[in-house]
């Protein structure tokens, strides 16, 4: 049994990528093949996939979910939309010197008002006066991860989205997908690699470290996902042909594995709080493209379950020693599951 301290590591601050590279596919790729570590360029992924393999991508789109505002009392407020409930209602983190009460009015971005509803755990329900998506797009700010030190600009608004993003609803990008540009996708398609999509709206909880040493006591954050029958059919055909189901990012993997808990992938929509730690047997995904993850994070635990605890520890040590770039704007890894 592993505990929280088993997933800690020292990362020099300069290894945290603060800006994306000018070209999406110019990142490095650490290929972990069993226990063998191979340094590649991300564009080399074309050579590492075969005709008939299936890339499964998360087509969520990041909302401009951060707002600064003022309460009717004059107090300053920061709001981070966590989830859109319907076209007039969201769940949000609200930071203020004094928590608002139900019925309080908050002016956001000096542009429109929201009214607070009931608490939902750590979140507040906020009622918008118009269409949520329209107001967020017009007046919100892109919510870059907490370890990125600059304020989001127009370049971030383009680069902190995947080129195939489609369904608005996330507050963080599925960052493994940021490495794919259209020419690279075209090369993969020309080779005979297939594509399928899931939607999982990434929440801010993805950045939260685990705070309990006993992992069985950790309460996993929930995220909403949907998988279409078309994707299920593509996965079944891929597995029947003996080819790889390659998840692009841990969010795609969590969606696929969450929908596979019966033993076989099923279409549908649901909330997932699936917490994957070493010992988990993967049911659908055989390979994974992923970025490097935070110390003590559930995602580091997930990749350790996928590729093996010791190989991941060795790969991370290699990446630090060889000056790979870490986290959302950083470099990538290509992993194969031990469950294969």
């Amino acid at each position: 049994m592993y505990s929280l301290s088993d997933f800690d590591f020292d990362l020099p601050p300069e290894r945290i990528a603060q800006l994306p590279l000018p070209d999406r596919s110019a990142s490095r790729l650490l290929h972990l093949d069993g226990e063998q570590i191979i340094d590649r360029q991300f564009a080399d992924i074309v050579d590492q996939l075969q005709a008939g393999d299936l890339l499964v991508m998360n087509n969520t789109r990041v909302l401009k979910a951060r707002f600064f505002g003022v309460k009717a009392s004059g107090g300053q407020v920061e709001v981070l939309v966590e989830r859109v409930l319907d076209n007039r209602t969201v769940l949000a983190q609200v930071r203020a010197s004094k928590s608002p009460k139900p019925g309080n009015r908050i002016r956001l971005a000096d542009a429109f008002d929201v009214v607070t509803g009931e608490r939902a755990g750590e979140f507040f329900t906020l009622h918008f006066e118009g269409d949520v998506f329209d107001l967020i797009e017009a007046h919100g700010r892109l919510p870059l991860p907490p370890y990125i030190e600059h304020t989001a600009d127009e370049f971030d608004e383009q680069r902190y989205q995947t080129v195939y993003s489609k369904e608005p609803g996330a507050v963080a990008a599925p960052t493994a997908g940021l490495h794919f540009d259209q020419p690279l996708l075209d090369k993969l398609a020309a080779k005979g690699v297939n594509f399928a999509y899931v939607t999982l709206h990434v929440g801010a909880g993805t950045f939260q470290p685990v705070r309990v040493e006993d992992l069985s006591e950790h309460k996993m954050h929930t995220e909403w996902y949907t998988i279409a029958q078309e994707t299920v059919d593509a996965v079944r055909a891929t597995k029947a042909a003996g080819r790889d189901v390659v998840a692009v990012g841990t969010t795609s993997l969590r969606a696929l594995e969450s929908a596979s808990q019966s033993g076989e992938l099923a279409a549908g929509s649901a909330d997932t709080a699936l917490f994957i730690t070493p010992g988990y047997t993967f049911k659908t995904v055989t390979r994974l493209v992923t970025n490097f993850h935070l110390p003590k994070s559930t995602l580091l635990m997930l990749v350790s379950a996928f590729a093996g605890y010791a190989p991941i520890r060795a790969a991370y040590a290699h990446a630090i020693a060889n000056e790979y770039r870490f986290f959302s704007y950083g470099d990538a890894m290509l992993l194969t599951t031990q469950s294969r």
Side-chain angles (χ1 to χ4, degrees):
M1 294 292 293
Y2 293 96
S3 58
L4 178 61
S5 56
D6 292 317
F7 297 94
D8 197 10
F9 64 92
D10 293 323
L11 182 70
E14 61 270 20
R15 297 273 55 80
I16 301 174
Q18 293 294 326
L19 295 168
L21 296 175
D23 298 319
R24 288 181 183 267
S25 61
S27 299
R28 297 168 73 186
L29 179 70
L30 190 156
H31 182 189
L32 182 59
D33 186 7
E35 295 185 355
Q36 184 182 15
I37 298 170
I38 308 162
D39 296 309
R40 303 188 188 278
Q41 294 300 120
F42 193 80
D44 296 339
I45 198 168
V46 175
D47 300 323
Q48 304 310 312
L49 301 180
Q50 304 302 318
D53 286 347
L54 180 69
L55 276 178
V56 183
M57 302 176 170
N58 182 5
N59 65 4
T60 188
R61 187 166 181 81
V62 183
L63 300 170
K64 295 180 180 178
R66 176 165 281 124
F67 291 90
F68 295 93
V70 182
K71 293 189 289 186
S73 63
Q76 300 295 307
V77 176
E78 181 179 352
V79 169
L80 179 65
V81 174
E82 171 72 13
R83 180 183 295 200
V84 176
L85 299 178
D86 57 47
N87 65 353
R88 293 293 181 100
T89 314
V90 305
L91 286 180
Q93 298 177 18
V94 178
R95 296 178 182 173
S97 57
K98 187 176 180 180
S99 293
K101 296 179 180 179
N104 285 176
R105 189 170 291 272
I106 302 173
R107 186 76 173 171
L108 294 183
D110 197 26
F112 66 97
D113 290 347
V114 295
V115 176
T116 58
E118 297 297 325
R119 290 289 295 266
E122 62 185 303
F123 302 113
F124 290 82
T125 307
L126 298 181
H127 301 285
F128 281 53
E129 62 185 14
D131 183 83
V132 163
F133 292 108
D134 290 345
L135 289 169
I136 287 175
E137 181 62 28
H139 303 291
R141 301 184 184 186
L142 193 74
L144 290 176
Y147 45 74
I148 290 181
E149 298 171 353
H150 69 272
T151 301
D153 57 21
E154 289 185 6
F155 187 54
D156 292 297
E157 290 182 7
Q158 181 249 326
R159 286 301 304 277
Y160 196 61
Q161 303 277 13
T162 63
V163 297
Y164 47 80
S165 65
K166 180 180 178 184
E167 303 292 342
V171 299
T175 54
L178 298 180
H179 303 284
F180 291 89
D181 54 25
Q182 196 56 53
L184 184 59
L185 292 172
D186 291 343
K187 287 181 181 178
L188 287 162
K191 187 171 183 177
V193 174
N194 299 315
F195 305 96
Y197 298 91
V198 298
T199 302
L200 183 143
H201 291 323
V202 192
T206 192
F207 300 117
Q208 295 301 314
V210 179
R211 294 186 171 88
V212 290
E213 187 66 19
D214 183 347
L215 300 183
S216 67
E217 297 176 359
H218 175 64
K219 184 176 178 4
M220 188 71 178
H221 64 282
T222 61
E223 293 169 320
W224 179 90
Y225 73 89
T226 187
I227 297 177
Q229 186 61 45
E230 180 181 13
T231 295
V232 173
D233 294 342
V235 167
R236 288 177 180 168
T238 302
K239 293 175 84 71
R243 301 309 318 159
D244 279 317
V245 176
V246 186
V248 177
T250 56
T251 61
S252 297
L253 182 148
R254 284 189 76 228
L256 290 168
E257 292 295 319
S258 296
S260 302
Q261 291 304 293
S262 66
E264 187 172 338
L265 182 65
S269 302
D271 283 329
T272 178
L274 181 63
F275 183 23
I276 296 176
T277 57
Y280 177 88
T281 299
F282 290 85
K283 301 168 179 63
T284 294
V285 179
T286 53
R287 301 184 84 186
L288 173 65
V289 180
T290 184
N291 281 20
F292 294 93
H293 303 293
L294 292 160
K296 297 184 176 180
S297 65
T298 61
L299 298 182
L300 180 56
M301 296 169 195
L302 183 157
V303 296
S304 298
F306 192 80
Y309 177 81
I312 287 292
R313 294 291 292 187
Y316 271 56
H318 176 91
I320 294 169
N322 288 272
E323 299 186 342
Y324 276 71
R325 303 165 74 248
F326 273 64
F327 304 157
S328 294
Y329 277 154
D331 296 315
M333 303 179 77
L334 176 62
L335 310 175
T336 301
T337 181
Q338 290 188 317
S339 302
R340 192 175 182 178

